[in-house]
Amino acid sequence: MLRALWISSILLMVAAVRAQPPAAPIEPNGAPRPANSDGTYQALRGALPAGDGFTVKDFTLEREGGVFHFDQGDFYFYGPVNGLVTGAVFTGKGHFSLAVKDASEQRSLALLTKSGVMQQDFTSLVLRFTDSTADEIRKASSGSPGKVPAHEVQAATDLAKSFRKRLNENLELHLLPDALNGQPGSFFLASFRMGGAFTGKNVLFLVDPEGAFDAAPDEVALSTWDDFTLETWAAYRMAHPEAKSGLRTRVTDENLDVTFDKSGSIKSSAETTLTARKDGMRVVRLNLFPTLRVSGVFSETGAPLDFVQEAKDADPQFAIMLPAAAKAGQTIRVLTRYAGPGAVRQDGGDVYYLLPQARENWYPAGLGQLGDFANFRMTFHLQKTLQIVATGKQISLTPEDKGMVRAVWATGAPIAVAGFNLGNFKMKEDKTTDGFVIDGYANVNLPDMYAPLAQSDTLGTMSTASALPNEVSQGKVAIQIYTDFFGKLPYDHIALTQQSACGFGQSWPMLVYLPICAFWDTTVQHELGLLDYDQSYWSEVTPHEVSHQWWGQLVGFGSYRDQWMSEGFANFSAGIFLLSTNPKMDKYRDFWNEQKRNLLQKNKMGVRPIDAGPLTMGTRVSNSKAGENVYQMLIYSKGAYVLHMLEMMEWTPQDKEAAFKRSMQQFVTDYAGKAATTEDWKASMEKTMPKSLDLRGDGRLDWFFDEYVYGTELPHYTVNSAFTVGADGVTSCHLTLGQSNVSKSFLMAVPLYLQMANGSTVRIANVVMHGSDTIDHTFQLGKLPSPAKAMLVNYNADVLSDN
């Protein structure tokens, strides 16, 4: 009933959106302002230490757990901007310390420091801030050392250059909101050079209420960087978040008008509607692909607006400055005109490729990753020989002058991200029994990069169109399986489209990008060596990407700490597909064996992904200490295992997966069209979990999440059994079951199976194990249809363990 009510509400929302007349177009009424021309921004961009300094002794600055103690030395302030001092350089003798509270962050920091605590001396330090730092330094000052020395100016200059050319982050944009208002904020950044074993690296300690640029939405981050890398070793939320914390705006609507030329270069205008989340908001930061250069920005009245967009190969973040401060809840509409190559690549005469790096920001998007949902209306102008397939539905297709056509696409309800695929396609369509449409699109011609292979005459035909029936069939079956497991989607179609890239796929709402190599038959794949490694990928990629219609698109994720749910849930879904589409369980068991190998096999750094960190560390688990491939191995495989373990613990011989399906459908109902966090999913699962999972009697799943989501423990199991048959034909079993290599608080409900001589294996119980313990117990099995052979655990990869 709940699911039916939710679907009805979605349909009503779709009808309401379609009934609303479009807002009047924004018409510019003046010449656009040049980029980066605002006086306050220019002053920030050029600010350096100036004027007299301040001598301090035995002075301490504490910011969100980071403690800077200055034994003695001199500070020199940056010149004020709009009355606000935004930086200082220190020379002397000082010490930095940081002790993080979270256990997983301690483990991460220990990769760098060996101890989980950072202690570092420094002789030079550069600060950028909008908070009370300047006032605290003034109060602690015991005198002035005089005018600023040249080396202090050079330190500030070097930091600015590093942010622009190496970190590619516009530092001044983080200072601009408070500088425009001329009021203190809470931004704080400290940079210093490391010594000792870390010589050659720089430390950044950052507090940003809008989210640390390298670890948002965490507001506090400790990172190291050099000429080649930036790595975050600790990140966490502010101890006392302020009203100003979090992103300042949320995008609610995008009205896009895009023209493609033959090279793939685009010319576009975007009318973006936003809601202010904070009082006093004057700077609107948006995500736009760096090669797309803005020529002008205009307010809803058509007035030109100042904007920031530095060089595409430097610190190119895009932001708009409003003429007056907005209030929380206020609606803002802006027009952005932009153009450029680089986002869409021409891979052949009629083959085009929207670069993966541009798929989230080929339009001015919000900064909420896939956590924000917006309405989209997209008007595309393209050559009449081409087709465009986009998120949403095509509303119209009309001819234009000069051999062009105009295609209008729109979404009926807010979605997380919009995209398209452009080319000359062959199409095939099919429908499920309840009318859900699956369309498949393959390029008529090969991308130029593969032409030499086709001309070699050794691979036979490399046409991808012949694979359309199989791809559409896989998509159709996947939609039916996942609808049964997770509930209905709120839209009625999906497009499976070929992309030029070979090694990965991607899924946007109603639009799936599939690798070209998945369209080639196994003969071609074998000849190209694609089956030599991760052979199962080619049979899983389409159902995996289709499942992202639920995981990542219908249900978004809150941050990098929750992205494991999108990828892990999708990987789990691929396992369901294999189980449901194969008469035997061999491929299904092979799938779970592969997930375990991914987690337990050491990489070139000698690290097992299972040990690299918890799932909620996200992309940060891949670093110079653990290896760069750790993220995918951990997130995909362990994320899938987390769902599978809950599924197997909820499974019963009578109801099979019914309880687990209800739990997952409840989660989809609760968070459709929203960004979900890990805690949101836990709370949703707790609503429906059977009593058998309430191992602590508190109605919560903390025991399981602490172990497998937030933790890195991995148990080991041993099982031995002996059977006797009485004169009455009743079989008794003496069982020894051990759980080891875990902490005292570790709990697990371990499914136990009975294997019989006739080859059948049946589940008989969930045995609750506490810590490193052994159960030694004799019990009766009753009269069996075949002699007992053995007791088994992990028969269906029930528990992630090291055996």
Side-chain angles (χ1 to χ4, degrees), residues 753-772:
Y753 294 84
L754 170 65
Q755 186 180 59
M756 291 178 282
N758 64 4
S760 63
T761 303
V762 295
R763 173 106 154 248
I764 62 170
N766 278 357
V767 181
V768 179
M769 304 292 293
H770 297 257
S772 293

Side-chain angles (χ1 to χ4, degrees), residues 475-525:
K476 175 181 176 180
V477 173
I479 288 290
Q480 292 171 318
I481 292 170
Y482 301 153
T483 298
D484 175 59
F485 246 84
F486 309 129
K488 286 187 176 182
L489 293 169
Y491 33 82
D492 60 4
H493 73 282
I494 187 173
L496 310 177
T497 68
Q498 174 199 318
Q499 67 175 12
S500 298
C502 176
F504 78 100
Q506 201 165 34
S507 186
W508 272 191
M510 296 161 277
L511 175 68
V512 175
Y513 302 93
L514 292 173
I516 186 173
C517 297
F519 285 75
W520 290 328
D521 61 30
T522 53
T523 300
V524 175
Q525 291 174 345

